[in-house]
Amino acid sequence: MFLHPLLLWGLPLVLVPLLIHLINLLRHRRIRWGAMEFLLAGFRRHRTWVRMKEILLLLMRMLAVAMIIFIAAQPILKSRPGGILLGGNRIHHIVLLDDSFSMQDRQGNHSAFHTAKDVVLQLGQEAAKQNQMQNFTLLRFSQARAKEQNVLNALKDAPSDGTGVSADTAGNTDPTSPATEKTSADMHSENKIPSENSEDKQTEDSQITSFGKLTPDMLSEPVDNNFQQRLEGVLTPLTASDFADNPLSALRAVEHLAPPTADEKRILYLVTDFRKHQWEQNQDIKTLLTEMEKSGITLKFIDCVETEHPNLAITKLYPAEGTLAAGVPLVMHVEVTNFGTSAAKNVVIHPSTDFPAAATTSDERSSSDTRTPENTSTGNSSGNTSENPENSDENTKSASSAADSENPSSKTSSRSGNNLIAVTITEIPPGETVREQFIVRIPTAGKHIIHAKLDSDTILADNIRSCIVDFPSQESVLIIDGDAQAKDAKTLMMALAPGGNVNTGIAPRLELPRFLSTNPLSNYSVIYLLNVGKLDRQAVTSLEEYIKNGGGVAMFLGPLTDPAAALSWHRDGEGFFPVKLRQTVELPVDYLQKIPDLRVSRHSIFRIFEGRDSGLLSTVNIQKYFQLEDESLERLIPQEDLGAAAIFPQEENVAQETEIQGENPEITETADTRRDYQDTQVIASLRNNAPLVLERRFGEGRIVIFLTTASSEWNNWARGNPSYVVTALQLQARLSSQKETPPMTVGDALQYSINPEDYMPQLEFISPTGEKLAVVQGIQQTSGEFLAPGPFTEMAGIYQARLLPRGNQTDLVPLAVNVDWKEGNIHRISGEELAEFLKEIPYEYYRATEFYLSDDTGSGINISDFLLYLLIIWLILEMLLAASTSYHISPDNLHGGKDMLQKGGGIRAGKQNLKGRIGRAGGAK
């Protein structure tokens, strides 16, 4: 083949020497001359040899012209024997195929991934037609990303004591290959990450770039006559994965797939959809491409998507603040993001639940120890808790009515089989996220699966999301009352668990303060400290650990609260108590203006009192409360002054509702901010602007402090006012530690903590398709539990961990794995934007419909230089042959001739003499 084949039209020029020869023959006239007969006789004897030399000279001149034309056309020798003989290059096609779930983007009847497979197949077909030395490598994004994620997760999770798990923990399975069942011993024997004390410890970078076990679909496969069939067999079963991948992992893997050889020219084909969030300002990708181009790799980008399409994605699904208990309604939040360029209208969300056969959970077992108001003693208390507080069941029913008003009936979902009533979002603006909610009522205790699904659109993978919520039979709370008579505790317990036909799902347990020092607190979702005086050091330490680990604490102060003792809870801002107390003061009665004593902020605890229920707080009277030191007042986040009767705006999107709930995303949980109280805010105050209710984040948990009593001793709140019960239930919902199993994303490693008291330290992981993935031996942790590391997930769905109790029963624990919703952002980077981003890197950009395997791939060997050297030698030989064929005068004869001409009167006289001889010869004829 030729790089410039049009120049071959100049080949007829090889006839020019022949034409010149023929024209020269026409110039001669045959004249018979007697004196030449003797010379002609000698010529006839050598005529054959002379003619052969003349013909050979003519052919050499014609071939010289042909070589000049061939050199200009740049001939490429691609035959395998010729390439080997002349040292030609071997071409290596390296194809990186994007199989992330954004490639599900549908274009008519074809998805972007189908288009990508067609491009790869076309590339293989055209390569197979060319008679040249070629190799072919096919690597999917998910294969490179899975291998890299394995190493990263193993490095992250490996403990420092040298008991780390293997880099390919729990099976070392390739997410693109069939899973195999492996025991823990097998898994830990493979590809272990060296410990800190290992002599052959490698750096993290070398671990990440160790792709020794990466197995692409094709690795340096020779392109021969059967290659097209092999490639088609590989591509046909492939589908887009559930991974969210960018090209970075695949590009990193290129250098480790097959080291380049000296005679190899590599061409990299990046077949992807060029999503904007993956490429825009991604300097790592730019750096890798720069290094590849400098190393001699030719870059070819193939875009498999023509235009952008609208796409909706469920980005979050989680339980709202509320009591988690079997049989108690639970509000679920679902967030939907519109990645399109126009508003999405009437978006329908289909919620559903699954009810697996759940064995008795640890929460059910622990709840059997819970003491209710009817059967709970107060330790050294002389009385029991059967005394009725001032509030009644009527207040509780009013509270339930108020709670129901929070959610319109159109958003309430009742169970019909496993499906719930669909909810509709009227409109989602482009690029924005809207949160909707639905209610589920789970009748049985245990871990249950809750789904939310959208109708089909451009991409299906992000239209469904699942979460696992652990519903105990009841939610256990601990109430600590500093007064042996437990007046505050009885009041609060009646609000939280009134009994009778009202099921709040809350099981309170009443104890004295010393209980905090001698008993574990992790079994309780919320701890209430009422009218507590002094706490010993162990109790304070236990409370701090409990809150830091995600627990919730509510404190109601009272007559027994000692400001001096509270300093040990404060500990200069390091403790769980965020403020310094000064003294108790009385709030003067307002007889003139009659302004409500209580003013609440827009916070989730008081949000329910908006609108028609706002007047419930206007009758609350506060007689006494604790003042704060000026130092503490200066550092509190002030309450927004809206008044108790303010009508709060309806939240329209996630950002607004986050503000309503009082969350502050800008607050960071550093030691400095905790010390400076910058995470402590006033959520309710008095009419004189004195703080009354404070909330503080402490570690992973919260503490809410009421600077007045829980009973009616310092206020009339609990004296027949329905808002007290509502506030108590909302406070419980705010502080209760949620039992949602942490969500996992496709590509994360499965893992599960095993309680050795209930289960054997070994479990089996099962895929969403029911396939057994691995049998895993748990690794004992410092807490005493066993952490079972499982295989890396390769698809979205519900996985299961099969537990082996210390008996004959087998428990199945569901584990939800969702796709990374960010991959659903299908905004594309245009060719112009890509060119601007990679302006210093030479590459070729193709639309999938316009791609073809060009002939200038650089494969084979360019023999133009070889022909040039051959032409020089050829011309020298031609000159020598011409000299031997023509009649040349020897130097001696040439010198004598010159003398003769000079003696005969010069050149002119010699010419005249020659003409006279020729004329006489003609006359003689």
Side-chain angles (χ1 to χ4, degrees):
M1 63 176 294
F2 298 87
L3 294 183
H4 308 292
L6 292 179
L7 294 179
L8 295 179
W9 287 98
L11 282 178
L13 294 177
V14 300
L15 299 176
V16 171
L18 180 60
L19 293 175
I20 294 174
H21 176 70
L22 295 177
I23 292 173
N24 286 332
L25 290 180
L26 294 176
R27 293 175 57 191
H28 297 284
R29 295 171 56 194
R30 181 176 295 275
I31 300 174
R32 297 189 64 83
W33 182 21
M36 295 295 295
E37 291 298 327
F38 175 77
L39 296 176
L40 290 176
F43 172 73
R44 292 188 185 98
R45 290 196 298 268
H46 302 284
R47 179 174 53 187
T48 303
W49 172 243
V50 172
R51 289 288 177 85
M52 289 180 62
K53 288 197 295 182
E54 289 178 346
I55 294 174
L56 181 59
L57 179 61
L58 179 63
L59 292 177
M60 289 183 70
R61 289 173 176 172
M62 295 174 67
L63 189 56
V65 175
M67 282 194 288
I68 293 174
I69 296 173
F70 283 149
I71 291 172
Q74 296 288 300
I76 302 296
L77 183 62
K78 292 198 169 187
S79 64
R80 292 183 180 90
I84 295 174
L85 179 63
L86 299 176
N89 290 336
R90 177 185 296 271
I91 190 72
H92 189 175
H93 303 281
I94 303 175
V95 180
L96 303 183
L97 176 60
D98 185 356
D99 64 340
S100 57
F101 74 78
S102 66
M103 294 287 284
Q104 295 177 8
D105 188 355
R106 287 181 291 177
Q107 308 167 66
N109 296 327
H110 268 27
S111 67
F113 188 69
H114 281 98
T115 301
K117 291 200 300 181
D118 292 341
V119 168
V120 177
L121 184 59
Q122 175 188 347
L123 171 62
Q125 290 173 343
E126 294 181 4
K129 294 177 182 178
Q130 299 181 3
N131 186 23
Q132 58 186 358
M133 300 178 297
Q134 299 176 92
N135 290 97
F136 199 94
T137 292
L138 175 61
L139 174 69
R140 285 174 282 151
F141 283 15
S142 61
Q143 293 172 315
R145 192 257 192 186
K147 180 65 180 179
E148 186 171 272
Q149 189 65 38
N150 287 358
V151 179
L152 288 172
N153 286 344
L155 288 170
K156 177 184 67 175
D157 297 333
S160 59
D161 58 358
T163 59
V165 297
S166 66
D168 293 330
T169 300
N172 191 24
T173 56
D174 182 353
T176 61
S177 60
T180 56
E181 183 177 355
K182 297 189 178 184
T183 64
S184 178
D186 293 333
M187 291 180 288
H188 284 265
S189 65
E190 298 178 2
N191 197 17
K192 288 190 177 181
I193 296 297
S195 66
E196 294 292 335
N197 298 326
S198 176
E199 295 181 358
D200 58 347
K201 179 180 181 296
Q202 301 177 4
T203 63
E204 180 174 328
D205 289 339
S206 64
Q207 291 283 7
I208 293 175
T209 57
S210 175
F211 288 89
K213 292 190 177 182
L214 178 60
T215 53
D217 294 304
M218 285 186 167
L219 179 59
S220 296
E221 190 85 9
V223 178
D224 52 24
N225 295 332
N226 298 323
F227 175 75
Q228 180 178 341
Q229 290 75 16
R230 298 200 306 273
L231 178 60
E232 188 172 0
V234 169
L235 291 174
T236 299
L238 297 184
T239 58
S241 70
D242 286 339
F243 283 89
D245 298 316
N246 61 46
L248 195 57
S249 298
L251 291 173
R252 284 176 179 156
V254 169
E255 292 297 325
H256 307 278
L257 291 172
T261 58
D263 64 339
E264 179 181 85
K265 179 176 178 58
R266 291 183 293 174
I267 303 178
L268 177 69
Y269 303 87
L270 192 59
V271 187
T272 181
D273 50 8
F274 290 96
R275 300 305 178 186
K276 194 167 189 176
H277 70 281
Q278 296 176 346
W279 285 84
E280 195 172 39
Q281 304 304 320
N282 194 328
Q283 294 300 322
D284 291 336
I285 292 181
K286 186 175 182 179
T287 300
L288 280 175
L289 292 176
T290 302
E291 293 174 354
M292 288 181 174
E293 192 277 328
K294 289 181 179 179
S295 67
I297 298 179
T298 302
L299 303 175
K300 295 184 181 240
F301 298 161
I302 305 172
D303 193 347
C304 299
V305 177
E306 292 292 333
T307 58
E308 290 184 2
H309 302 93
N311 181 50
L312 298 174
I314 298 181
T315 54
K316 288 186 180 179
L317 176 65
Y318 57 96
E321 295 175 351
T323 301
L324 281 177
V328 178
L330 175 66
V331 176
M332 295 293 300
H333 285 317
V334 56
E335 296 181 8
V336 181
T337 301
N338 180 10
F339 290 116
T341 56
S342 60
K345 299 182 180 297
N346 299 322
V347 178
V348 181
I349 305 172
H350 304 277
S352 63
T353 60
D354 292 337
F355 298 103
T360 302
T361 64
S362 58
D363 295 279
E364 289 181 270
R365 284 187 284 271
S366 63
S367 64
S368 62
D369 298 331
T370 302
R371 291 188 287 167
T372 60
E374 291 79 7
N375 61 8
T376 303
S377 65
T378 59
N380 294 335
S381 173
S382 59
N384 55 42
T385 63
S386 60
E387 180 179 347
N388 292 328
E390 292 138 57
N391 54 337
S392 63
D393 289 350
E394 183 179 354
N395 296 345
T396 304
K397 293 177 183 178
S398 299
S400 300
S401 176
D404 292 339
S405 68
E406 180 184 0
N407 301 298
S409 58
S410 62
K411 298 180 182 180
T412 303
S413 304
S414 62
R415 179 173 181 254
S416 175
N418 285 349
N419 296 321
L420 307 176
I421 296 176
V423 294
T424 302
I425 301 176
T426 305
E427 181 177 354
I428 307 178
E432 295 196 14
T433 299
V434 172
R435 179 161 62 191
E436 190 55 272
Q437 60 189 28
F438 58 91
I439 297 177
V440 297
R441 187 190 299 268
I442 304 298
T444 60
K447 293 181 181 292
H448 293 279
I449 310 166
I450 300 175
H451 307 280
K453 185 178 180 180
L454 298 176
D455 292 329
S456 299
D457 62 357
T458 299
I459 297 177
L460 301 179
D462 55 10
N463 287 348
I464 186 170
R465 201 161 190 88
S466 306
C467 72
I468 309 296
V469 182
D470 190 358
F471 289 85
S473 57
Q474 288 182 311
E475 193 167 69
S476 300
V477 301
L478 177 63
I479 298 179
I480 303 295
D481 198 326
D483 185 4
Q485 300 299 322
K487 184 178 181 180
D488 287 14
K490 295 172 186 177
T491 302
L492 182 61
M493 291 169 70
M494 185 58 66
L496 295 176
N501 296 328
V502 180
N503 178 22
T504 62
I506 302 172
R509 175 172 181 169
L510 178 60
E511 295 290 347
L512 291 176
R514 65 171 178 266
F515 182 87
L516 299 173
S517 306
T518 57
N519 294 273
L521 306 180
S522 58
N523 291 332
Y524 302 100
S525 62
V526 181
I527 297 177
Y528 294 88
L529 303 177
L530 312 178
N531 194 20
V532 173
K534 295 182 179 181
L535 295 174
D536 59 40
R537 179 173 297 180
Q538 180 58 44
V540 174
T541 301
S542 298
L543 282 172
E544 289 181 354
E545 291 298 322
Y546 170 79
I547 303 174
K548 287 181 178 179
N549 292 331
V553 171
M555 292 192 70
F556 287 81
L557 307 186
L560 297 180
T561 304
D562 184 3
L567 291 176
S568 64
W569 312 338
H570 177 68
R571 293 193 297 112
D572 293 330
E574 297 288 348
F576 70 90
F577 198 74
V579 292
K580 293 180 180 181
L581 302 177
R582 176 182 291 178
Q583 61 185 1
T584 59
V585 294
E586 294 184 359
L587 181 67
V589 179
D590 181 14
Y591 293 107
L592 297 178
Q593 297 181 349
K594 295 183 179 181
I595 299 174
D597 290 352
L598 184 61
R599 300 188 306 170
V600 297
S601 66
R602 295 189 301 178
H603 190 274
S604 63
I605 294 178
F606 306 111
R607 183 182 56 190
I608 198 171
F609 297 113
E610 62 188 53
R612 62 183 177 86
D613 295 315
S614 60
L616 292 174
L617 296 177
S618 62
T619 59
V620 175
N621 295 322
I622 306 297
Q623 290 89 34
K624 186 180 289 188
Y625 65 96
F626 264 100
Q627 273 188 335
L628 302 181
E629 293 285 356
D630 292 341
E631 175 187 352
S632 296
L633 287 172
E634 292 173 356
R635 301 188 179 188
L636 292 176
I637 299 175
Q639 171 189 344
E640 183 177 358
D641 188 4
L642 293 178
I647 299 178
F648 308 136
Q650 180 70 25
E651 56 270 25
E652 296 180 356
N653 54 43
V654 176
Q656 292 176 345
E657 187 161 312
T658 301
E659 182 183 4
I660 290 172
Q661 290 182 348
E663 298 287 356
N664 189 351
E666 301 299 326
I667 292 175
T668 57
E669 291 298 321
T670 63
D672 292 338
T673 56
R674 287 197 295 269
R675 187 179 301 112
D676 293 338
Y677 321 130
Q678 293 302 312
D679 52 357
T680 304
Q681 59 182 332
V682 179
I683 62 175
S685 62
L686 299 172
R687 54 182 159 81
N688 62 356
N689 291 329
L692 183 68
V693 185
L694 311 174
E695 183 185 57
R696 183 200 187 183
R697 292 300 301 266
F698 188 73
E700 298 296 326
R702 289 187 181 95
I703 179 171
V704 176
I705 301 171
F706 288 76
L707 300 178
T708 187
T709 58
S711 65
S712 59
E713 186 171 355
W714 288 3
N715 57 76
N716 73 340
W717 203 351
R719 195 176 300 161
N721 194 324
S723 67
Y724 180 85
V725 179
V726 175
T727 302
L729 294 175
Q730 293 295 103
L731 177 63
Q732 170 69 25
R734 176 68 169 175
L735 295 177
S736 60
S737 52
Q738 301 294 336
K739 299 282 177 57
E740 176 197 7
T741 302
M744 289 184 290
T745 303
V746 176
D748 292 343
L750 294 170
Q751 63 178 13
Y752 190 80
S753 295
I754 305 173
N755 186 349
E757 296 180 359
D758 300 325
Y759 299 98
M760 301 292 291
Q762 187 182 57
L763 59 76
E764 180 181 52
F765 287 105
I766 302 173
S767 74
T769 60
E771 185 179 11
K772 296 179 181 179
L773 297 178
V775 177
V776 180
Q777 183 71 32
I779 302 173
Q780 190 167 14
Q781 307 296 298
T782 55
S783 62
E785 293 186 339
F786 284 79
L787 180 64
F792 292 89
T793 56
E794 61 186 72
M795 68 177 70
I798 304 301
Y799 291 75
Q800 290 181 318
R802 188 189 301 274
L803 301 175
L804 302 175
R806 297 189 179 278
N808 296 326
Q809 188 180 4
T810 299
D811 289 352
L812 290 175
V813 178
L815 303 171
V817 177
N818 297 297
V819 298
D820 186 351
W821 57 268
K822 299 181 187 67
E823 182 70 16
N825 185 356
I826 56 176
H827 293 299
R828 303 178 62 256
I829 184 170
S830 65
E832 294 76 13
E833 292 172 327
L834 184 64
E836 177 64 23
F837 176 57
L838 303 177
K839 58 184 177 182
E840 300 173 357
I841 304 174
Y843 67 92
E844 298 176 25
Y845 177 84
Y846 299 90
R847 295 285 188 182
T849 54
E850 302 170 351
F851 173 76
Y852 64 95
L853 184 61
S854 60
D855 292 333
D856 58 344
T857 57
S859 58
I861 179 173
N862 189 326
I863 61 173
S864 58
D865 291 341
F866 173 77
L867 291 179
L868 179 60
Y869 299 138
L870 182 61
L871 176 62
I872 295 174
I873 299 174
W874 197 260
L875 292 176
I876 294 174
L877 294 177
E878 186 271 341
M879 293 175 64
L880 294 176
L881 182 61
S884 66
T885 305
S886 60
Y887 298 99
H888 291 279
I889 302 175
S890 63
D892 295 337
N893 294 336
L894 182 60
H895 180 70
K898 289 181 179 179
D899 293 341
M900 180 183 66
L901 291 175
Q902 291 174 357
K903 294 176 181 179
I907 297 175
R908 183 180 300 276
K911 288 183 177 180
Q912 293 295 332
N913 188 21
L914 180 60
K915 288 181 179 179
R917 291 181 180 181
I918 295 174
R920 289 193 295 270
K925 180 179 177 183

